[in-house]
Amino acid sequence: MSSIPLQICRALVIGGALMTTALGPASAQDTTRPILHGKEWVAVTGKPLAATAGAKIFERGGNAVDSAAAMLAATATMWDVLGWGGETQALIYNPETDEVIGINALGVAPTGATPEFFREQGMVYPPEFGPLAATTPGTPGGLMVMVAEFGNLSLAEVLAPAIDMADGYPIEAQTADNIENRREILERWPSSTRVFLPHLDPDNPEKRAAPKAGEIFRQPDLAATLRKLVEAESQALEAGKSREEAIMAAYDRFYRGDIAEEIVTATREAGGLFTPEDLANWEVRLEEPVSTNYRGIDVYKLTAWTQGPVMLQILNILEGFDLQAMGYNSTRYIHTLYQAMNLAFADRDFYYGDVYTEPKVPIEGLLSKEYAAERRALIPEDHNLIDYLPGDPYPFQGEENPFEELRQNWQLNPPDAEALGIEGFQEASLMSREEAFYAGTTSIQAADADGWVISVTPSGGWIPAFIAGESGIGLSQRMQSFVLDEELNPYNVVEPGKQPRVTLTPTLALEDGRPRMAFSVQGGDSQDQNLLQFFLAMAEWGMNVQQSADGLGHMQSHQMQSSFGAHQAEPGRLQVSREFTTPYTREQLRKMGYDLETVDRVYNPTTAIWFDFENDTMQGAASDFAEDYGIAW
């Protein structure tokens, strides 16, 4: 399949069809940025400096996992848009075993985090910011386990760029201004004030408190914590431990030593619930991902503790349609994608949750092709469906639904959120529905000539973060993704030691058993919508990897429950591109009942790597929507 220029994509909007069936070579024409061509390696992530950190590690002899870990450390140090106390989700292709491995480094709810506890605080959902919003830190453990299990370098080498940055780096405008905009929240916590607001003047509240763009931003507490990890590794090596054992000695110091003690003490003093046992008993899981085959391409996602399987469910539904015959961004095409998304997201909102606790998520049934056919049959041709329920996947795995009554009474907009109203909720939570829908995260892709491929979607601990004392570690805000009532989702009710269902969703795609694509994106509940359309742009429409990452023609549904804030849905709300839809298409969509918004461009900061089988090279891409950036060699 050859690449097509954007002017042809625009022509397809009129309703023509491009008949293509297989992934093939791509050109660099008509893109917002050039394709990154690499023979030895590719590194792509959310900030230029962080991409440089990944490149430095490749030049030191590291593999793709080492490079991704260095980019993870750098982005966390830069607060893009995460901190060190957040969570890390990754998929790794191991060329030595031809396996795709999932990395589950999501924290858990701490001791005492029960529905009753939060209700006693007058809360409808766990809070969005502060010590009570924090799950246990996952990113440090995830990084160390990835490097120990699959990397080549020492922890000291991988963390070197991040330590340099913690000692001081020129902060970019986006982060500096975000800090200033959140200063009123940050001032609630002295440890966060000390780090983020170096120019705070209590006598002059109008004066800028945050660093200015280009100013050297220093984080001495974080630098000291990272050096403690390197020190623990060095001492273990001196004692005769192996590379892997030495890295895990650093892991133990973070989760069971003096670093953990500081995090727990500071969090509890600020009103949080962490105990030493919460950190000591948490562990990173290496797990088997889930997958589906779409027209000969195997697409891999982490399982249902993330929202990742929702994209697989959508692909299973769409496989029964001839999308190319509809025409790119035609009325029927946009309508079909929107309906398939909504049916799958209803399942996400009711069934997804921690896969290691009871009740068990019915993932086999949810990913059944036969179940997809049943859901597909619900899609109307001429109107937007809003009167629907989550499906019943249990018969497709030979079981009865234990929550059938709850399913029958499920509502798209939870009664508590509707009764409270978004304005009332904001008084306690501070974040608008729009902000919540796209909350946090960055993305990381790396690949090398030896065949290692990794896709990462880390998050949590974004600004305004509560920093735990003198650790320099900004804690996660992921507790808000739990619910307190099983009527909303019986699989995702908060419980100590349990993981919340997150939006974070790295992706790998294999063709003929070989890696073909690595891709992910930031943006909360929009993530799998954008990743779906990135994938279809390449698999169905013949766009090259940069055109697909640009996503200039993407549409976006808001007809699913937000995973943040008040967990509200906006039935019928649909955003479409002004340039990549015709006036006729937009008018037809309105007649079908859509609350249509025409925008210059929907939110879509996708990063990706595509593997050129013909030339045995790699092609990297980063949308220019945000500050994502890549380097290749």
Side-chain angles (χ1 to χ4, degrees):
M1 178 183 72
S2 60
S3 171
I4 56 175
L6 290 189
Q7 60 263 31
I8 298 179
C9 295
R10 295 186 183 101
L12 290 174
V13 170
I14 306 302
L18 178 73
M19 300 308 295
T20 57
T21 56
L23 295 173
S27 73
Q29 56 191 329
D30 293 309
T31 58
T32 62
R33 289 172 168 173
I35 294 172
L36 298 166
H37 291 275
K39 184 179 70 172
E40 299 298 328
W41 50 262
V42 179
V44 192
T45 190
K47 294 286 185 184
L49 280 178
T52 303
K56 288 164 68 85
I57 294 303
F58 274 128
E59 291 300 292
R60 295 189 69 159
N63 67 9
V65 177
D66 295 314
S67 174
M71 290 189 279
L72 172 59
T75 54
T77 301
M78 298 176 75
W79 304 92
D80 173 49
V81 179
L82 71 155
W84 271 94
E87 49 273 351
T88 287
Q89 296 67 217
L91 289 171
I92 297 172
Y93 177 78
N94 183 343
E96 297 172 1
T97 62
D98 294 323
E99 291 179 301
V100 178
I101 301 121
I103 304 295
N104 178 342
L106 170 63
V108 297
T111 300
T114 64
E116 294 72 25
F117 171 82
F118 290 106
R119 289 193 185 105
E120 288 170 1
Q121 316 305 309
M123 298 177 181
V124 181
Y125 297 95
E128 295 171 65
F129 301 111
L132 286 177
T135 51
T136 53
T139 287
L143 184 152
M144 288 185 272
V145 167
M146 287 193 299
V147 174
E149 293 284 339
F150 305 109
N152 293 334
L153 301 184
S154 68
L155 185 63
E157 291 171 304
V158 168
L159 291 184
I163 293 173
D164 283 347
M165 297 180 77
D167 284 336
Y169 75 95
I171 192 169
E172 72 287 358
Q174 185 182 65
T175 301
D177 291 343
N178 189 24
I179 294 171
E180 182 66 17
N181 291 337
R182 299 293 193 178
R183 59 181 287 178
E184 290 186 11
I185 306 172
L186 292 167
E187 286 181 47
R188 299 178 182 184
W189 312 304
S191 51
S192 297
T193 301
R194 186 174 65 250
V195 173
F196 289 120
L197 305 174
H199 308 305
L200 182 67
D201 183 352
D203 297 325
N204 186 5
E206 300 300 319
K207 178 184 175 184
R208 183 183 176 96
K212 299 182 181 67
E215 181 179 334
I216 301 300
F217 179 49
R218 306 181 194 279
Q219 302 174 76
D221 288 344
L222 176 61
T225 291
L226 298 181
R227 286 191 169 95
K228 287 179 180 179
L229 299 178
V230 172
E231 180 184 58
E233 177 190 49
S234 176
Q235 291 172 348
L237 289 171
E238 290 174 1
K241 301 294 185 181
S242 67
R243 184 189 75 91
E244 294 84 354
E245 290 170 332
I247 293 172
M248 295 313 292
Y251 180 107
D252 284 343
R253 184 169 186 178
F254 187 95
Y255 287 97
R256 301 179 179 95
D258 56 337
I259 300 172
E261 182 179 356
E262 174 64 15
I263 291 172
V264 170
T265 300
T267 302
R268 293 188 70 84
E269 287 178 352
L273 299 174
F274 283 3
T275 68
E277 292 74 22
D278 291 331
L279 270 66
N281 294 336
W282 178 84
E283 61 182 4
V284 178
R285 291 186 170 101
L286 305 183
E287 61 186 29
E288 184 177 352
V290 292
S291 66
T292 197
N293 184 278
Y294 180 84
R295 307 194 199 284
I297 304 167
D298 294 310
V299 184
Y300 287 83
K301 289 283 194 176
L302 294 166
T303 191
W305 55 274
T306 76
Q307 73 172 347
V310 80
M311 178 176 156
L312 308 184
Q313 288 191 245
I314 298 167
L315 288 173
N316 285 344
I317 293 171
L318 293 177
E319 196 171 34
F321 293 99
D322 186 348
L323 299 181
Q324 293 179 10
M326 297 178 185
Y328 180 71
N329 270 16
S330 66
T331 303
R332 187 179 172 204
Y333 179 75
I334 292 172
H335 171 70
T336 302
L337 261 61
Y338 191 97
Q339 298 304 309
M341 286 179 186
N342 296 341
L343 292 171
F345 273 101
D347 286 346
R348 180 204 73 166
D349 292 339
F350 185 75
Y351 288 112
Y352 288 20
D354 190 337
V355 299
Y356 297 98
T357 60
E358 295 294 337
K360 296 298 183 184
V361 176
I363 191 66
E364 179 184 350
L366 288 166
L367 295 181
S368 160
K369 297 279 189 175
E370 292 75 19
Y371 175 67
E374 180 179 272
R375 298 295 274 168
R376 186 185 308 126
L378 298 176
I379 296 178
E381 293 186 1
D382 59 354
H383 66 278
N384 176 38
L385 186 67
I386 58 174
D387 183 18
Y388 59 93
L389 295 172
D392 185 2
Y394 278 93
F396 298 90
Q397 58 184 47
E399 300 173 12
E400 291 186 7
N401 195 328
F403 300 106
E404 180 61 15
E405 184 176 350
L406 293 179
R407 185 182 78 88
Q408 292 291 342
N409 292 319
W410 181 84
Q411 297 181 42
L412 181 57
N413 258 322
D416 280 343
E418 187 174 313
L420 185 61
I422 189 68
E423 293 300 323
F425 194 86
Q426 278 180 262
E427 290 176 7
S429 68
L430 309 169
M431 192 157 59
S432 72
R433 198 269 180 191
E434 199 78 4
E435 289 177 296
F437 192 82
Y438 300 114
T441 314
T442 193
S443 61
I444 299 168
Q445 322 300 323
D448 62 44
D450 290 331
W452 289 94
V453 186
I454 179 169
S455 177
V456 194
T457 314
S459 192
W462 54 73
I463 297 165
F466 166 73
I467 292 178
E470 296 182 359
S471 71
I473 302 294
L475 297 186
S476 172
Q477 299 96 342
R478 196 57 61 172
M479 287 291 294
Q480 65 184 294
S481 291
F482 279 116
V483 300
L484 306 185
D485 192 333
E486 70 169 8
E487 291 183 4
L488 305 178
N489 179 341
Y491 304 82
N492 192 38
V493 178
V494 67
E495 177 184 318
K498 187 174 183 177
Q499 294 181 318
R501 193 275 298 155
V502 296
T503 54
L504 311 162
T505 176
T507 321
L508 293 181
L510 276 61
E511 190 173 13
D512 299 326
R514 301 166 62 189
R516 178 59 101 173
M517 288 183 270
F519 54 109
S520 60
V521 67
Q522 62 181 288
D525 292 285
S526 73
Q527 287 180 39
D528 273 307
Q529 299 189 57
N530 280 319
L531 297 179
L532 169 75
Q533 292 173 88
F534 166 88
F535 176 81
L536 293 176
M538 299 204 75
E540 293 282 3
W541 300 108
M543 298 183 201
N544 67 43
V545 66
Q546 184 60 50
Q547 290 170 338
S548 302
D550 288 339
L552 299 182
H554 281 198
M555 50 78 76
Q556 202 151 96
S557 169
H558 289 254
Q559 190 168 303
M560 68 282 297
Q561 293 174 8
S562 172
S563 301
F564 308 91
H567 291 235
Q568 285 192 323
E570 295 183 287
R573 184 180 174 196
L574 167 63
Q575 293 178 313
V576 298
S577 161
R578 178 176 293 104
E579 185 176 5
F580 284 81
T581 55
T582 65
Y584 173 81
T585 290
R586 297 194 290 271
E587 179 60 26
Q588 291 300 112
L589 289 168
R590 290 188 180 97
K591 288 180 179 179
M592 297 170 78
Y594 289 104
D595 179 10
L596 196 70
E597 295 178 30
T598 304
V599 296
D600 291 332
R601 189 174 181 182
V602 303
Y603 182 93
N604 171 43
T606 297
T607 60
I609 299 174
W610 184 80
F611 298 88
D612 183 345
F613 291 174
E614 181 179 352
N615 297 304
D616 197 22
T617 60
M618 299 165 276
Q619 299 181 9
S623 165
D624 72 336
F625 190 95
E627 298 186 351
D628 302 82
Y629 210 79
I631 304 175
W633 187 252

